[in-house]
Amino acid sequence: MTSLIVHSAAPFNAEPNLDRLRASFVTDAEDFYVRSHGDIPQLDAATHRLRIDGLVDRPLDLSMPELRDLAPHRTVGAVLQCAGNRRADLQPVKPTTGDPWAPGAIGYARWTGIPLYEVLRAAGASAASHVAFTGADVVEEAGQRVRYGVSIGMQRALQDDVLLAWAMNDKPLKREHGYPLRLMVPGYAGVRSPKWLTSITVQDRPSDNPMQQQDYKLLPPDIDAETVDWNAGLTIDAMPLNSAICTPQADAILSPGCTEVRGYAIASGRAVARVDVSPDGGRHWVQAALQRDPEEPAAWIFWQTTLDLPAGEHELVVRAWDEAGQTQPASAAEVWNFKGYLCAAWHRVKVIVT
Amino acid sequence: MTSLIVHSAAPFNAEPNLDRLRASFVTDAEDFYVRSHGDIPQLDAATHRLRIDGLVDRPLDLSMPELRDLAPHRTVGAVLQCAGNRRADLQPVKPTTGDPWAPGAIGYARWTGIPLYEVLRAAGASAASHVAFTGADVVEEAGQRVRYGVSIGMQRALQDDVLLAWAMNDKPLKREHGYPLRLMVPGYAGVRSPKWLTSITVQDRPSDNPMQQQDYKLLPPDIDAETVDWNAGLTIDAMPLNSAICTPQADAILSPGCTEVRGYAIASGRAVARVDVSPDGGRHWVQAALQRDPEEPAAWIFWQTTLDLPAGEHELVVRAWDEAGQTQPASAAEVWNFKGYLCAAWHRVKVIVT
């Protein structure tokens, strides 16, 4: 077992050290961040059942072997990322709710399962607008204790990269990652990929669950916990362009001369086109070399460059550009929201060369 | 004939006044910006021919009536926008090449024609990677006088919203907008929608034309005309999230009290989710009301809000957010490039209340 930085023991929320995260393009399950909203359920693949109901012609109640036999298996490489990744960068602007995630609430894995649409087809799903999901975990949301529940739009649900997954990097899911079955919606915030999946409901509206209705929304900067109107928020599904420096880390003490700077960048629905690195807080920029997996459009990119840093204190900065010429905002203040979601401002790391 | 703000008479480059642009959700052809790279050709629909060649089984040479008879006609509502829209906002940072476009080098029209893929299918196009286009206009690019030529990727070319269009807002194209035939690639910079179209070539590489190879690329901020390596640039196709204040205009003198603030916002490939307006340079924000056409995903959105401005000087600002929680950079300095493309920083307008 590798070591994770634990933000909370119950529910268990933890992320890897950034050096470790950046060491492998495919993130090992042991190094993969964990975000739980309740206790981790004790489930058994031998007895686990998945129900498919709602606006379907043939409600199903499947064992894991029945699910596996339903359609050819598929493996998709995809980033999973918490909507709160990099929240710690927002909190110096003004406090937020939620754990202070560093840029480690993200990882890239190869997920194996069957496409969700195969199960929807087998159940004879109608042309409804939403697909809702329930997990086995019990969570506290909006003052209620409820089973975890969220939904995604039918259009996304029918795309063939959305999987009901039982394996991560060719091994059965670990308990904390959703054993024996989870949803995987590449490009969407982790909240929309429920773990410990027990039921799928086809319906004509988003999930009524407080997890869907009163959480994981992007709210305007003038809204706080006292004044919140959840209907004024944007439901967080796809996530914005982002990038982070993984090494050196904040407050690193370096020797003068060449320093390798490495990190990741991630876009959603569009490719990362360029990554700029600044040795001086954003006054000058150099272009980093990019490593990507062209076979997997939902992969992240790894970038690296070498900076020649003289003695003194330096603010290293990274920003990415996507293929539509979109880039990131410079300052965390520009994206602050009281729930601390979607921190996609330039990532800044102070280092000392001595 | 309405009046346009003329940046250059030859080639003819002009944009509408922003009040006029914001007055109608569908932009009248008379109010639509014009970007030419050479003289406007004198063409006649009665004699015009379109050639389709390259990696095709059956090269075609079509008259306009033959083209119209090839497939059912289709009308698509789409924004057309110059890659240099809002370039004037970059030039105070540091000079750029190109005309100083205000935020008026954009418009929304309903384009009628037949999908490009129908013509590719009729010609028996092979599974090549690019489709190149040539216009009748002669342009000066990279020191050469050549026919206008660009290309787009085959994947985009096959989507059914890409049209060979002969009409704009239910009327034949005006001469300056490409009469008798132009390409329309919704969401892509105007440069990829050539006017006065004479030939289509299916090929396994981007166009060799200097317009494709040595222009309309997004270059890093450290590159200038002396040091330019065009291969280091990102070919500008889709464009970033953007927004602009159309009224009041810069340096407007207003009376104290309620001021209506109106403008547009545009995303590419994703919907605009929220528009924030600031009365004070970005310190505070209110959310604007949005007007959109849900039937037309490539439409812009119109927004408006009311600000109560006391006497004094104010910097009004607008920024948009898309449905992936992506927002715009704050400062033009963050997106400056020596060609002056893709200015998508917050749009700022100084007004005086007296």
Side-chain angles (χ1 to χ4, degrees):
Chain A
M1 181 84 177
T2 184
S3 61
L4 294 172
I5 302 156
V6 177
H7 293 295
S8 158
F12 184 62
N13 292 321
E15 67 183 303
N17 181 289
L18 294 176
D19 278 335
R20 181 87 191 154
L21 181 68
R22 184 55 177 73
S24 170
F25 192 79
V26 175
T27 313
D28 194 275
E30 302 273 354
D31 297 319
F32 214 99
Y33 85 97
V34 180
R35 170 71 171 111
S36 326
H37 292 77
D39 288 345
I40 293 175
Q42 298 269 13
L43 302 178
D44 183 349
T47 55
H48 191 70
R49 311 288 300 185
L50 176 69
R51 208 173 56 247
I52 299 96
D53 59 20
L55 302 173
V56 299
D57 292 337
R58 295 175 293 281
L60 301 176
D61 186 342
L62 302 172
S63 68
M64 287 297 298
E66 286 167 342
L67 180 71
R68 285 164 176 268
D69 285 348
L70 208 67
H73 300 178
R74 184 162 181 209
T75 296
V76 170
V79 164
L80 188 71
Q81 185 183 183
C82 182
N85 190 30
R86 298 190 55 206
R87 179 181 286 134
D89 291 335
L90 294 175
Q91 293 175 334
V93 176
K94 212 160 42 158
T96 74
T97 60
D99 287 326
W101 297 99
I106 187 171
Y108 174 69
R110 295 170 53 76
W111 311 90
T112 300
I114 65 171
L116 172 63
Y117 78 82
E118 296 277 14
V119 175
L120 295 176
R121 185 156 65 178
S126 72
S129 56
H130 291 79
V131 183
F133 304 90
T134 308
D137 45 333
V138 175
V139 305
E140 190 157 327
E141 272 291 324
Q144 307 166 48
R145 278 184 67 78
V146 294
R147 297 271 298 281
Y148 186 105
V150 294
S151 59
I152 62 173
M154 180 62 86
Q155 203 178 356
R156 184 76 186 96
L158 293 177
Q159 288 173 319
D160 66 0
D161 62 333
V162 176
L163 297 186
L164 296 172
W166 51 75
M168 180 178 179
N169 299 336
D170 302 317
K171 290 181 201 143
L173 287 170
K174 289 166 62 74
R175 278 188 58 215
E176 64 271 31
H177 292 302
Y179 170 86
L181 187 68
R182 73 174 302 164
L183 186 68
M184 177 48 50
V185 187
Y188 274 27
V191 63
R192 307 286 167 232
S193 289
K195 300 186 273 195
W196 314 296
L197 193 65
T198 58
S199 75
I200 300 174
T201 305
V202 176
Q203 57 189 53
D204 264 333
R205 57 184 198 286
S207 171
D208 289 329
N209 194 291
M211 183 73 67
Q212 183 78 25
Q213 294 293 332
Q214 297 177 53
D215 204 350
Y216 289 96
K217 293 197 176 187
L218 182 67
L219 289 150
D222 53 315
I223 300 291
D224 61 25
E226 309 301 310
T227 61
V228 61
D229 168 9
W230 291 103
N231 294 321
L234 166 68
T235 298
I236 296 172
D237 290 326
M239 293 182 69
L241 182 68
N242 213 334
S243 56
I245 297 169
C246 294
T247 172
Q249 295 195 38
D251 305 318
I253 295 173
L254 309 172
S255 305
C258 288
T259 293
E260 285 285 317
V261 186
R262 296 191 189 86
Y264 67 77
I266 178 75
S268 82
R270 297 199 284 241
V272 172
R274 201 177 92 207
V275 172
D276 298 343
V277 178
S278 171
D280 55 8
R283 280 182 295 285
H284 299 90
W285 299 92
V286 296
Q287 283 75 60
L290 309 186
Q291 175 198 348
R292 63 174 95 229
D293 182 348
E295 302 299 310
E296 295 288 359
W300 54 10
I301 74 114
F302 269 14
W303 57 262
Q304 71 175 81
T305 193
T306 306
L307 297 178
D308 188 1
L309 297 172
E313 198 176 304
H314 305 276
E315 186 183 57
L316 312 185
V317 189
V318 66
R319 67 178 182 192
W321 299 73
D322 74 17
E323 60 186 339
Q326 179 73 55
T327 192
Q328 302 175 229
S331 137
E334 296 163 28
V335 296
W336 184 91
N337 58 95
F338 92 94
K339 293 285 295 181
Y341 292 133
L342 306 186
C343 180
W346 297 357
H347 186 224
R348 299 161 187 270
V349 167
K350 283 220 169 73
V351 297
I352 295 158
V353 176
T354 185
Chain B
M1 182 81 179
T2 184
S3 60
L4 294 173
I5 301 157
V6 177
H7 293 294
S8 157
F12 184 62
N13 292 322
E15 67 183 303
N17 181 288
L18 293 177
D19 278 335
R20 180 89 192 154
L21 181 68
R22 184 55 178 73
S24 170
F25 193 79
V26 175
T27 313
D28 194 276
E30 302 274 353
D31 296 319
F32 214 100
Y33 85 96
V34 179
R35 170 72 171 111
S36 327
H37 292 76
D39 288 345
I40 294 175
Q42 298 268 9
L43 302 178
D44 183 350
T47 56
H48 191 70
R49 313 286 300 185
L50 176 69
R51 210 173 53 246
I52 299 96
D53 59 19
L55 302 173
V56 298
D57 292 336
R58 295 173 294 280
L60 300 176
D61 186 341
L62 303 172
S63 68
M64 287 297 296
E66 287 166 341
L67 180 72
R68 285 164 176 267
D69 285 348
L70 208 66
H73 300 177
R74 180 157 185 217
T75 296
V76 170
V79 163
L80 188 71
Q81 184 183 185
C82 182
N85 190 32
R86 298 190 54 205
R87 178 180 287 133
D89 290 335
L90 295 174
Q91 293 175 334
V93 176
K94 211 159 47 160
T96 75
T97 59
D99 288 325
W101 296 99
I106 188 171
Y108 173 69
R110 294 170 51 78
W111 310 90
T112 300
I114 65 172
L116 172 62
Y117 78 81
E118 296 277 15
V119 175
L120 296 176
R121 184 156 68 178
S126 71
S129 57
H130 291 79
V131 183
F133 304 89
T134 308
D137 45 332
V138 176
V139 304
E140 192 157 328
E141 272 290 325
Q144 308 165 47
R145 278 184 67 78
V146 294
R147 298 272 298 280
Y148 185 104
V150 293
S151 59
I152 63 174
M154 180 63 85
Q155 204 177 355
R156 184 75 187 97
L158 292 177
Q159 289 173 318
D160 66 0
D161 62 333
V162 176
L163 298 185
L164 297 172
W166 52 75
M168 181 178 180
N169 299 336
D170 301 318
K171 290 181 200 143
L173 287 170
K174 291 165 59 79
R175 277 188 58 215
E176 63 270 31
H177 292 302
Y179 171 86
L181 187 69
R182 73 175 301 164
L183 186 68
M184 176 49 50
V185 187
Y188 274 26
V191 63
R192 307 287 166 230
S193 290
K195 301 185 272 193
W196 313 296
L197 192 66
T198 59
S199 75
I200 299 174
T201 304
V202 176
Q203 56 188 56
D204 264 333
R205 56 183 199 287
S207 171
D208 290 329
N209 194 292
M211 182 74 67
Q212 183 77 25
Q213 294 294 334
Q214 297 178 51
D215 204 350
Y216 289 95
K217 293 197 176 185
L218 182 67
L219 289 149
D222 53 314
I223 300 291
D224 61 24
E226 309 300 309
T227 61
V228 61
D229 167 10
W230 291 102
N231 293 323
L234 165 69
T235 298
I236 296 172
D237 290 327
M239 294 181 71
L241 182 67
N242 213 335
S243 57
I245 298 169
C246 294
T247 172
Q249 296 196 37
D251 305 317
I253 296 172
L254 308 172
S255 305
C258 287
T259 293
E260 285 284 317
V261 186
R262 296 190 189 87
Y264 67 78
I266 178 77
S268 82
R270 297 199 284 241
V272 172
R274 199 176 92 207
V275 172
D276 298 344
V277 178
S278 172
D280 54 7
R283 279 182 296 284
H284 299 89
W285 298 92
V286 296
Q287 284 74 59
L290 310 186
Q291 174 197 348
R292 63 174 94 229
D293 182 349
E295 302 298 309
E296 295 287 1
W300 54 11
I301 72 114
F302 269 14
W303 57 263
Q304 71 176 81
T305 194
T306 305
L307 298 178
D308 187 0
L309 298 172
E313 199 176 305
H314 305 276
E315 186 184 57
L316 311 185
V317 188
V318 66
R319 67 179 182 192
W321 299 72
D322 74 18
E323 60 187 339
Q326 178 73 55
T327 192
Q328 303 176 228
S331 136
E334 296 164 29
V335 295
W336 184 92
N337 58 95
F338 91 94
K339 293 285 293 182
Y341 292 132
L342 305 187
C343 180
W346 298 356
H347 186 223
R348 299 163 188 269
V349 167
K350 283 220 170 73
V351 297
I352 295 158
V353 175
T354 185

